[in-house]
Amino acid sequence: MKVLETDRLILRWLTPDDTAFILELLNEPSWIRFIGDKGVRTLEDAKNYIVSGPMKMYSQMGFGLFMVERKEGSIPIGMCGLIKRDTLDNVDIGFAFLSTYQTQGYGFESASATLKYGHEQQDLKRILAITSLENQASSRLLEKIGMKYEGTIILDKEKLKLFASEK
């Protein structure tokens, strides 16, 4: 199901048909370094990740992490979406892209659209974002889309930067 469309991108729900892409994305060095190793090593692991993560959140919340595809050629390049974690009081925005597609404005384009979607379509008053302390690229992107740095928090024994956007 298509959720958002920008000039160059389509953001849609992930399905079990996306397992090969998810397997590749979750094993990118930048994913493992900045987000963490999810232990996804096989197509079956990737399918379980999609079903028990994004698809479960779609059914519970009406949103989740979305597949980001380039319109030209319907090429999957990353994920961007809204997540409701038990460990945070508010919904947060998350994104990750294959290294081949980083630094080309796709993160900004999809994250801007997702933030607007969260505030306007989902009526979320406050949206958070978290990044590892050393992930400068994500921090810059979050500030570029208008999120404000609020300090650091401890989440799952890890010190993280916290950003927020108020409607």
Side-chain angles (χ1 to χ4, degrees), residues 14 21-41 49-50 54 65-66 77-81 83 85 94-99 102 132 134-135 138 158:
L14 285 151
F21 170 78
I22 291 300
L23 180 61
E24 181 182 3
L25 181 64
L26 272 60
N27 285 288
E28 279 270 324
S30 60
W31 178 289
I32 292 170
R33 178 178 175 205
F34 295 126
I35 299 171
D37 188 346
K38 304 294 184 193
V40 174
R41 301 288 182 265
Y49 173 87
I50 292 168
L65 286 170
F66 306 126
I77 64 171
M79 286 193 302
C80 184
I83 309 152
R85 303 174 200 267
F95 48 83
F97 292 85
L98 295 174
S99 55
Q102 292 174 5
S132 63
E134 64 275 0
N135 192 341
S138 287
E158 185 181 2

Side-chain angles (χ1 to χ4, degrees), residues 4-136:
L4 294 167
E5 185 171 341
T6 69
D7 289 344
R8 301 181 296 166
L9 305 171
I10 299 286
L11 280 72
R12 64 165 175 80
W13 283 13
L14 285 151
T15 73
D17 292 340
D18 299 314
T19 55
F21 170 78
I22 291 300
L23 180 61
E24 181 182 3
L25 181 64
L26 272 60
N27 285 288
E28 279 270 324
S30 60
W31 178 289
I32 292 170
R33 178 178 175 205
F34 295 126
I35 299 171
D37 188 346
K38 304 294 184 193
V40 174
R41 301 288 182 265
T42 66
L43 290 173
E44 189 64 26
D45 292 341
K47 180 181 176 186
N48 290 336
Y49 173 87
I50 292 168
V51 171
S52 65
M55 289 179 69
K56 183 178 178 185
M57 193 160 292
Y58 304 150
S59 67
Q60 292 175 340
M61 305 295 298
F63 57 75
L65 286 170
F66 306 126
M67 168 71 84
V68 179
E69 292 179 333
R70 284 179 49 190
K71 282 183 183 176
E72 188 180 314
S74 297
I75 299 165
I77 64 171
M79 286 193 302
C80 184
L82 300 169
I83 309 152
K84 179 58 188 111
R85 303 174 200 267
D86 295 336
T87 50
L88 288 174
D89 291 338
N90 299 95
V91 169
D92 70 291
I93 189 170
F95 48 83
F97 292 85
L98 295 174
S99 55
T100 309
Y101 298 101
Q102 292 174 5
T103 69
Q104 297 177 44
Y106 296 123
F108 175 78
E109 195 171 324
S110 59
S112 297
T114 299
L115 187 63
K116 183 177 179 184
Y117 166 81
H119 283 312
E120 295 179 5
Q121 266 66 53
Q122 295 294 324
D123 200 30
L124 300 170
K125 307 289 184 237
R126 180 172 162 84
I127 299 173
L128 304 177
I130 52 175
T131 68
S132 63
L133 297 179
E134 64 275 0
N135 192 341
Q136 297 305 317

